[in-house]
C-alpha cells in the first residue's frame, strides 16, 4: 500500500504530497503523522500540497483535523503551495481551514514555523545546563 | 426532383451563375464596400457547384449526408459575413436570390409543363428555404461568438493584476462585481500570486459603485482563497456609503484587513513585510 513519506527536519516534520490524495491515503497520512509527532516531539508540521490538483471536502477536513491534532500536541501546522484551483474549490465548499497556517512555498513556510514557535528549546536546554 | 431537371440545371450552370450574380448585384442593399465582386463570384460558384453535386445524388432532404458540403460552405460563409459586419438580411439574401434565379430558369424551361414546373419549384423553394434558415442560424451563432469573446475580453481587461512592489500585488476593480467577474478576478489574482510569489494582495474597490451582500460574500471568498494559498489580502478603497451598506447588511469584515485608500493599504503592506520607505536627500541635481 502507498504511504506518504514524512521527513524529519530538526524539530519540524516535512510532508510532501506528490500524488492525489484519496480517502484511505489521507487517513493513513493523518495517523502516521500524529504518531510521528508524538514520537519525535516535533514542534511544527509542514505539508507541501503544491502537486495536489484535486481536493474534496474530505481532504479539506483531514487538513483541518491534522492542524487541530498537532495543536493539542504542541505543534504548529503550515500548509504550503496550494494551487489556485484547489483554493477556489475549498472556498466554494465553505472550508476556510481557519486553524491552519498557510504559506506560498516551503521556504516561506519554514520561516513562518520558526516565527510561530519562537526560540528553539535547545537554546533553553543549553541555558539550563549552564545554570546547573 | 426529376433527373431530367437536374441534368438541365447542370447544363445551364453557367447561365444560372450569371443570372444569380446579376440578381445579387441588382439588389440595392448589396454591400460593395464589404465584399468585392470577384469574391462574390467565387463564393457563388462554390456554393452552386456543391449544390448541384448534392442534387445529383438525388436528395433535397436537409438531413441527408450529401447536403453536408453545402451546409458547410454556407456556415463558413455566414460566419465570415457575421464577422465582417453584414446584416442578417444581406446574408440570407445570398441564398434567396439563388432561389429566385432557379425559379426564373425553370420557368423558362418548363413553361409547357405546368404540373412539373409547379412540383420542381416547390421542391427547390423548400430546399433553399431550409438552407436559408441554416444560414441565418449560423449567422446568429457567429455574432454570439463575437459577443462572448468581447465579454471575456472586457472582463479580462477590467481586472488587471499589478505588481506594485516586490511581494505586493494590487488589483484595482472597476465596475460592478458579479459572480462571473468575481470568478475571473479571483482566478487572475491567485494565478498571479503563484507566478510572482507575492505575499500580500491589495484588492482596491474604490471603482466599484455599489456593494451588496452577494458582492461582499464574493470578496470574502477571494480573501479566504488567498489566505489558503498562503498570502494575505487587504481590501482598500471602501467608501463611506459602501461602509454604511456593509454594516447595515450585517456583513462581518472584522477579521479582514481593510483600509480607506490604496495608499494606506500599501503602507500596511510595507509594515507587514518589514519594508521601510523613507524620504532621502536628493542625490543628483536636476
Amino acid at each position: 500500500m502507498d504511504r506518504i513519506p514524512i521527513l524529519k527536519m530538526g524539530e519540524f516534520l516535512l510532508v510532501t504530497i506528490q500524488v492525489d490524495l484519496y480517502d484511505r491515503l489521507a487517513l493513513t497520512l493523518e495517523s502516521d503523522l500524529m504518531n510521528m509527532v508524538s514520537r519525535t516531539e516535533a514542534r511544527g508540521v509542514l505539508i507541501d500540497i503544491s502537486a495536489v490538483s484535486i481536493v474534496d471536502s474530505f481532504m479539506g477536513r483531514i487538513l483541518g483535523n491534522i492542524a487541530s491534532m498537532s495543536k493539542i500536541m504542541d505543534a504548529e501546522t503550515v500548509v504550503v503551495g496550494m494551487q489556485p484551483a484547489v483554493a477556489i474549490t475549498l472556498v466554494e465548499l465553505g472550508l476556510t481551514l481557519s486553524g491552519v497556517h498557510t504559506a506560498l512555498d516551503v521556504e516561506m513556510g519554514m520561516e513562518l514555523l520558526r516565527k510561530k514557535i519562537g526560540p528553539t528549546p535547545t537554546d533553553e536546554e543549553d541555558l539550563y545546563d549552564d545554570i546547573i | 426532383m426529376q433527373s431530367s431537371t437536374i441534368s438541365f440545371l447542370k447544363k445551364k450552370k453557367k447561365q444560372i451563375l450569371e443570372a444569380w450574380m446579376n440578381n445579387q448585384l441588382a439588389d440595392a442593399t448589396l454591400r460593395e464596400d464589404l465584399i468585392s465582386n470577384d469574391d462574390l463570384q467565387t463564393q457563388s460558384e462554390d456554393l452552386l457547384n456543391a449544390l448541384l453535386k448534392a442534387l445529383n445524388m438525388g436528395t433535397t432532404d436537409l438531413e441527408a449526408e450529401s447536403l453536408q458540403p453545402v451546409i458547410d460552405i454556407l456556415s463558413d460563409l455566414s460566419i465570415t459575413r457575421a464577422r465582417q459586419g453584414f446584416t442578417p438580411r444581406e446574408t440570407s439574401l445570398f441564398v434567396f436570390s439563388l432561389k429566385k434565379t432557379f425559379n426564373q430558369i425553370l420557368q423558362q424551361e418548363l413553361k409547357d409543363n405546368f404540373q412539373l414546373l409547379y412540383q420542381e419549384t416547390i421542391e427547390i423553394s423548400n430546399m433553399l428555404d431550409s438552407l436559408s434558415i441554416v444560414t441565418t442560424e449560423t449567422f446568429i451563432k457567429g455574432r454570439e461568438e463575437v459577443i462572448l469573446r468581447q465579454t471575456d475580453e472586457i472582463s479580462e481587461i477590467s481586472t488587471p493584476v499589478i505588481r506594485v512592489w516586490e511581494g505586493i500585488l494590487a488589483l484595482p476593480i472597476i465596475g460592478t462585481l458579479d459572480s462571473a467577474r468575481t470568478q475571473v478576478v479571483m482566478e487572475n489574482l491567485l494565478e498571479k500570486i503563484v507566478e510572482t510569489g507575492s505575499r500580500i494582495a491589495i484588492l482596491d474597490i474604490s471603482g466599484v459603485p455599489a456593494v451588496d451582500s452577494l458582492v461582499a460574500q464574493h470578496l470574502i471568498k477571494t480573501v479566504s482563497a488567498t489566505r489558503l494559498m498562503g498570502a494575505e489580502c487587504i481590501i482598500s478603497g471602501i467608501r463611506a456609503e459602501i461602509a454604511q451598506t456593509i454594516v447595515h447588511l450585517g456583513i462581518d469584515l472584522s477579521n479582514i484587513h481593510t483600509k480607506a485608500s490604496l495608499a494606506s493599504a500599501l503602507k500596511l503592506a510595507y509594515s507587514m513585510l518589514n519594508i521601510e520607505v523613507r524620504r532621502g536627500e536628493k542625490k543628483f541635481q536636476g
Side-chain angles (χ1 to χ4, degrees):
Chain A
M1 201 189 118
D2 288 344
R3 259 169 204 273
I4 291 169
I6 302 167
L7 311 175
K8 185 171 177 297
M9 282 185 69
E11 49 195 344
F12 302 136
L13 296 179
L14 175 63
V15 183
T16 309
I17 303 175
Q18 299 283 6
V19 290
D20 280 327
L21 272 186
Y22 48 91
D23 294 359
R24 179 172 282 273
L25 195 59
L27 283 172
T28 319
L29 174 67
E30 185 189 282
S31 62
D32 283 359
L33 198 52
M34 290 313 120
N35 287 332
M36 198 76 169
V37 170
S38 88
R39 205 168 64 233
T40 61
E41 291 179 24
R43 298 290 319 278
V45 176
L46 196 138
I47 306 175
D48 176 22
I49 58 165
S50 52
V52 175
S53 54
I54 299 166
V55 278
D56 54 11
S57 56
F58 185 78
M59 186 187 147
R61 217 176 67 217
I62 293 276
L63 285 178
N65 286 353
I66 288 177
S68 338
M69 292 169 189
S70 315
K71 188 81 203 155
I72 305 174
M73 289 190 271
D74 193 26
E76 297 286 344
T77 305
V78 174
V79 171
V80 303
M82 192 182 289
Q83 294 293 321
V86 173
I88 293 174
T89 314
L90 285 181
V91 170
E92 292 295 338
L93 289 171
L95 296 164
T96 49
L97 305 186
S98 45
V100 183
H101 305 298
T102 49
L104 286 176
D105 55 29
V106 176
E107 212 176 328
M108 290 183 198
M110 280 293 177
E111 200 182 303
L112 181 66
L113 270 183
R114 282 197 197 97
K115 218 187 290 172
K116 285 277 175 226
I117 63 164
T120 53
T122 43
D123 293 344
E124 284 166 36
E125 270 168 30
D126 287 347
L127 208 69
Y128 188 64
D129 284 345
D130 285 349
I131 294 166
I132 288 179
Chain B
M1 199 173 228
Q2 294 210 346
S3 56
S4 60
T5 322
I6 293 167
S7 57
F8 163 72
L9 285 175
K10 270 171 84 181
K11 215 162 55 201
K12 288 273 183 180
K13 196 175 94 184
K14 215 167 172 185
Q15 202 189 328
I16 295 174
L17 188 63
E18 205 174 304
W20 185 21
M21 282 303 291
N22 285 338
N23 270 340
Q24 288 188 69
L25 293 173
D27 197 279
T29 55
L30 183 79
R31 299 284 298 272
E32 279 167 21
D33 52 331
L34 289 179
I35 189 162
S36 70
N37 283 356
D38 288 347
D39 283 348
L40 194 63
Q41 176 98 30
T42 326
Q43 283 177 358
S44 309
E45 204 169 344
D46 285 349
L47 182 70
L48 192 59
N49 281 338
L51 193 64
L52 287 177
K53 209 168 149 194
L55 280 178
N56 209 19
M57 295 186 202
T59 180
T60 50
D61 183 13
L62 208 59
E63 299 294 315
E65 225 167 82
S66 55
L67 262 184
Q68 200 53 48
V70 182
I71 293 177
D72 286 347
I73 289 179
L74 275 178
S75 309
D76 281 356
L77 191 125
S78 64
I79 284 185
T80 332
R81 289 194 170 196
R83 290 201 188 122
Q84 281 171 336
F86 278 83
T87 62
R89 185 199 175 89
E90 284 152 8
T91 313
S92 47
L93 200 85
F94 180 66
V95 181
F96 279 130
S97 56
L98 178 61
K99 180 168 127 185
K100 198 170 152 195
T101 315
F102 269 134
N103 287 344
Q104 281 167 350
I105 299 272
L106 280 176
Q107 206 176 5
Q108 281 167 23
E109 170 69 12
L110 301 171
K111 54 179 177 271
D112 303 327
N113 189 347
F114 275 120
Q115 181 78 35
L116 190 61
L117 174 62
Y118 177 70
Q119 209 177 322
E120 303 290 41
T121 310
I122 292 280
E123 200 160 339
I124 285 235
S125 295
N126 281 347
M127 185 181 69
L128 285 173
D129 284 349
S130 318
L131 287 177
S132 177
I133 291 172
V134 172
T135 318
T136 315
E137 264 174 6
T138 11
F139 182 87
I140 293 170
K141 217 185 277 167
R143 282 287 262 271
E144 268 168 7
E145 272 166 25
V146 171
I147 293 170
L148 275 181
R149 206 189 58 227
Q150 286 171 343
T151 316
D152 282 354
E153 275 169 10
I154 289 171
S155 56
E156 196 86 9
I157 291 167
S158 56
T159 53
V161 184
I162 310 156
R163 189 160 169 259
V164 284
W165 205 270
E166 210 181 304
I168 305 172
L169 292 179
L171 202 160
I173 304 172
I174 294 156
T176 319
L177 275 176
D178 57 24
S179 311
R181 234 180 123 212
T182 320
Q183 195 73 20
V184 178
V185 168
M186 203 198 273
E187 275 165 23
N188 281 354
L189 181 65
L190 299 189
E191 290 292 341
K192 205 78 176 180
I193 286 174
V194 175
E195 202 182 303
T196 60
S198 301
R199 285 158 71 171
I200 292 173
I202 303 172
L203 266 176
D204 187 73
I205 57 164
S206 43
V208 180
V211 170
D212 56 17
S213 55
L214 207 63
V215 173
Q217 203 196 343
H218 285 318
L219 285 176
I220 293 171
K221 267 188 192 169
T222 312
V223 174
S224 310
T226 15
R227 267 197 195 147
L228 280 178
M229 304 246 320
E232 276 294 323
C233 199
I234 305 169
I235 297 181
S236 76
I238 299 184
R239 284 179 287 153
E241 54 268 44
I242 289 181
Q244 282 174 355
T245 347
I246 285 178
V247 170
H248 283 156
L249 288 170
I251 296 157
D252 184 22
L253 290 184
S254 58
N255 42 17
I256 293 175
H257 300 288
T258 48
K259 286 284 165 197
S261 66
L262 186 60
S264 46
L266 201 55
K267 238 182 230 171
L268 174 65
Y270 286 153
S271 76
M272 283 161 89
L273 290 181
N274 291 325
I275 296 172
E276 206 176 304
V277 181
R278 272 184 305 154
R279 180 167 299 158
E281 290 289 314
K282 230 183 190 172
K283 285 204 178 124
F284 58 91
Q285 284 185 325

